[in-house]
Amino acid sequence: MPKHSQNTTRKRRALPKAERRNQLIKATIKCIAKKGLAATTMADITNEAELSVGIVNLHFKTKELLLIETLRFIADEYKEGFDQIFASNNMQDLEKLKAIIDYDFSPRIINRNKLAVWFAFLGEVKARPIYQKICAQHDDEINHEICKLFSSLLSEKTKRKNDVELITSAYSALTDGLWLDILLSPQRSTVNAARNAAWQYVSGLLD
Amino acid sequence: MPKHSQNTTRKRRALPKAERRNQLIKATIKCIAKKGLAATTMADITNEAELSVGIVNLHFKTKELLLIETLRFIADEYKEGFDQIFASNNMQDLEKLKAIIDYDFSPRIINRNKLAVWFAFLGEVKARPIYQKICAQHDDEINHEICKLFSSLLSEKTKRKNDVELITSAYSALTDGLWLDILLSPQRSTVNAARNAAWQYVSGLLD
DNA sequence: CAAATGAATGAATGATCATTCATTATGGAC
DNA sequence: GTCCATAATGAATGATCATTCATTCATTTG
C-alpha cells in the first residue's frame, strides 16, 4: 500500500536531480510554515513531498543541509526579483523605489509561509552562524543599491540634515519590521497597511 | 560526585518556589541564546542552572510550559519598564518619547541574548499561536500609548498629511527591524546606529 | 530483449531526549 | 532532638527521530 496511490499504484519515477531538490525544498517550506522549524521532521517533509524517507539522504546528505538549502532558496528567490527591478533601464529612480516597495509586499514573494520560514531561521541565527551568513551577503548588496537610490533621490537639504546610510538602514529595518507584522497578524489587510506605511516613510523623505 | 561541588559537596537547598522558577527561566534564556530554541534540551537548561533534570517537572510540569513562561518573563520585563516611563508625571511628551527610544536600546533590556530568545519564539509563531498571544496583548497596549504620544506631539499639518496610526505602526516596525539588526550583527556599534536611526525617524516627523 | 545503471524505497538501527517516580535530603514545627 | 512535609535528585523508561543500506524498480544502453 504505497502512500501515494490514487486509485491504482502510481509508478515511481526518476526525475532530474534539480527537480527533486526543488520538490523537497518546497515541501520543507510548507512544513516549516505549518509546524515550525523545531517540530519539522524528515518524515513530515518526505510525506509532504510524497516520497520516501531515504530520499533526503540521497539528494541533500543530511537534514541540516536540506535546511540550509531551503534558506538559500528563499534568499536567492527574493534577490533575483530585486535584481530584475534594479537592472531594468526603462524606470526612473523614483519608479524603481516604488517598484521595490510593491515587490516587497507582493504575495508571490512575501507571504506568511515564506515569512514563517524566514523568521524561523533568523531566530536561530545566534546559535547557527551559517544562517546569518546566507542572509548577510544578499542584504549587503541590497542595502548598497537602496543607498545609491536614496542618494540620487533625496534633496541636498534633506541629505544635509540626515545621514543617507542611516536612512537606508532605517528603511531596511522598517521593511523587516513590517514583514514581521504580516507574519504575526493573520488579517489580509495588514499587507496593504504595511505597504502604505513603507510608502509614507519614503514620501516623507522626498518632499 | 555532584555536578555543582566546588571543593566540598554543596548542600542542596530548598528555595522559595518563585526563586527556583526565576532561576530556571534565566537558565533557559541563556541556553536558547547559546544553542537556539530547537537544540535546547532539558538537560542543557538544568545543567546551566546547576540543578537536576527532574526539577523542571516539579516547577513547570513540562518543557513547553517552561518555554511559555520564559517568553512571558521577557515580555513582562519589557512591558514593566515601558509602563514605568509612561506612568512618570515629571516628563513632557517629547521627553517621554526620547526616554522610550533610549529604553528600547538599553543593554539591560535589549541585548543579543534576549533578542535571540525573542526572535526564536517569533519564528515559531505561525506553528504555535500561544507565543503570538503572549506578545500580542502587550504590543497592543504599547502601540496604543505610542499612538497617543504621536497624536499630541505632531503638528496639525503633519497629521493632515499622514495617518497617525500608520505612523505608529511604522515606528513599531522600525523598532522591531532595528532589534533584528542588532541580533544579526555582532558589532557593538549597531546599537548606537539603531538608536540614531530611530531618533532620526521621529525627529523627521516633528519639524 | 537482456543487462547495466542508478534513482527511490522503507524497515531497521541506534542515538537523543522529555518525562517519571522511587528515593533522599532539608528545614521548620513542636 | 525527632518528625514531617515537601523540595530536589537522577537512574530508568519509552517515545521520537535522523540516518543507513539492502532491496526494488524504471530507464537506458548495447
Side-chain angles (χ1 to χ4, degrees):
Chain A
M1 187 181 57
K3 280 191 208 74
H4 40 69
S5 61
Q6 286 153 314
N7 233 334
T8 163
T9 301
R10 187 196 297 179
K11 307 249 184 72
R12 71 182 174 185
R13 272 216 290 169
L15 279 187
K17 288 225 167 208
E19 254 176 86
R20 274 275 181 268
R21 288 173 60 99
N22 266 345
Q23 186 185 3
L24 287 166
I25 286 172
K26 293 220 166 111
T28 306
I29 292 172
K30 265 199 188 166
C31 287
I32 293 177
K34 200 195 306 170
K35 304 192 64 182
L37 184 55
T40 293
T41 68
M42 299 284 263
D44 291 330
I45 293 168
T46 50
N47 268 349
E48 177 69 42
E50 297 193 320
L51 292 167
S52 65
V53 291
I55 195 111
V56 169
N57 170 251
L58 195 66
H59 290 278
F60 292 94
K61 205 71 194 160
T62 66
K63 181 187 186 184
E64 178 65 13
L65 289 174
L66 167 60
L67 293 178
I68 287 172
E69 290 308 312
T70 301
L71 177 57
R72 217 188 295 278
F73 175 89
I74 290 195
D76 288 350
E77 185 191 52
Y78 176 81
K79 182 62 161 45
E80 210 174 297
F82 183 93
D83 285 344
Q84 232 166 358
I85 292 171
F86 255 86
S88 144
N89 40 21
N90 54 8
M91 273 196 219
Q92 300 299 313
D93 285 343
L94 184 59
E95 283 175 283
K96 276 193 189 173
L97 190 54
K98 273 184 183 157
I100 294 291
I101 291 175
D102 281 342
Y103 176 67
D104 277 348
F105 299 98
S106 68
R108 193 179 67 85
I109 299 298
I110 304 298
N111 51 60
R112 291 187 77 227
N113 272 9
K114 293 201 179 148
L115 288 174
V117 176
W118 197 254
F119 280 101
F121 280 104
L122 289 183
E124 297 276 301
V125 150
K126 189 147 182 283
R128 296 182 196 264
I130 177 75
Y131 297 163
Q132 136 82 2
K133 251 192 185 160
I134 292 170
C135 306
Q137 206 197 337
H138 285 337
D139 277 0
D140 286 349
E141 287 170 31
I142 288 168
N143 275 352
H144 187 66
E145 295 296 338
I146 298 279
C147 193
K148 282 199 294 187
L149 216 49
F150 277 128
S151 277
S152 95
L153 281 172
L154 297 179
S155 70
E156 285 306 316
K157 186 169 149 245
T158 308
K159 282 196 273 189
R160 238 175 292 121
K161 274 206 308 196
N162 303 281
D163 180 33
V164 181
E165 303 227 351
L166 217 51
I167 288 179
T168 305
S169 63
Y171 172 81
S172 299
L174 178 60
T175 305
D176 289 344
L178 291 170
W179 284 342
L180 186 57
D181 277 352
I182 293 171
L183 173 63
L184 293 182
S185 59
Q187 304 92 7
R188 188 174 304 262
S189 63
T190 316
V191 180
N192 291 323
R195 191 191 295 104
N196 289 342
W199 179 245
Q200 183 182 252
Y201 171 72
V202 167
S203 60
L205 291 169
L206 294 178
D207 49 38
Chain B
M1 186 182 55
K3 278 191 213 75
H4 39 69
S5 60
Q6 286 151 315
N7 233 333
T8 163
T9 302
R10 188 196 295 178
K11 309 249 185 71
R12 73 181 173 186
R13 273 217 287 169
L15 279 188
K17 288 223 165 209
E19 256 175 84
R20 273 274 180 269
R21 287 173 60 101
N22 266 345
Q23 187 186 2
L24 287 167
I25 285 173
K26 293 217 164 114
T28 306
I29 292 172
K30 267 198 187 166
C31 288
I32 293 177
K34 202 195 305 170
K35 305 192 64 183
L37 184 55
T40 292
T41 68
M42 297 286 263
D44 291 330
I45 293 168
T46 50
N47 269 348
E48 177 70 42
E50 298 193 319
L51 292 166
S52 64
V53 290
I55 196 110
V56 168
N57 170 251
L58 196 65
H59 289 279
F60 292 93
K61 204 73 192 158
T62 67
K63 183 187 186 185
E64 178 64 15
L65 289 174
L66 167 60
L67 293 179
I68 287 172
E69 290 307 313
T70 301
L71 177 58
R72 217 190 293 276
F73 176 89
I74 290 194
D76 287 350
E77 185 190 53
Y78 176 81
K79 183 62 163 43
E80 211 174 297
F82 183 94
D83 284 346
Q84 232 166 359
I85 292 172
F86 255 86
S88 143
N89 38 23
N90 53 10
M91 274 196 217
Q92 298 301 312
D93 285 342
L94 183 59
E95 284 176 281
K96 275 192 189 174
L97 190 54
K98 274 185 182 155
I100 293 291
I101 292 175
D102 282 342
Y103 176 67
D104 277 348
F105 299 99
S106 68
R108 193 179 68 83
I109 299 298
I110 304 297
N111 50 62
R112 288 186 80 227
N113 272 8
K114 292 201 178 148
L115 288 174
V117 176
W118 198 255
F119 281 100
F121 281 103
L122 289 183
E124 297 277 302
V125 150
K126 188 146 181 283
R128 296 181 195 267
I130 177 76
Y131 296 163
Q132 138 80 5
K133 249 192 187 163
I134 291 171
C135 306
Q137 205 198 338
H138 284 337
D139 277 0
D140 286 349
E141 287 171 31
I142 287 167
N143 276 353
H144 187 66
E145 295 295 338
I146 299 278
C147 193
K148 281 199 296 185
L149 216 47
F150 277 128
S151 277
S152 95
L153 281 171
L154 298 179
S155 70
E156 284 308 315
K157 187 169 147 247
T158 308
K159 281 194 275 189
R160 238 174 291 120
K161 273 206 308 196
N162 304 280
D163 180 32
V164 182
E165 302 228 350
L166 217 51
I167 288 179
T168 304
S169 64
Y171 172 81
S172 298
L174 178 60
T175 305
D176 289 343
L178 292 169
W179 283 343
L180 187 57
D181 278 352
I182 293 172
L183 174 63
L184 293 182
S185 60
Q187 304 92 8
R188 190 174 303 264
S189 63
T190 315
V191 179
N192 292 322
R195 192 191 295 101
N196 290 341
W199 180 245
Q200 184 180 252
Y201 171 71
V202 167
S203 59
L205 291 169
L206 293 178
D207 48 40

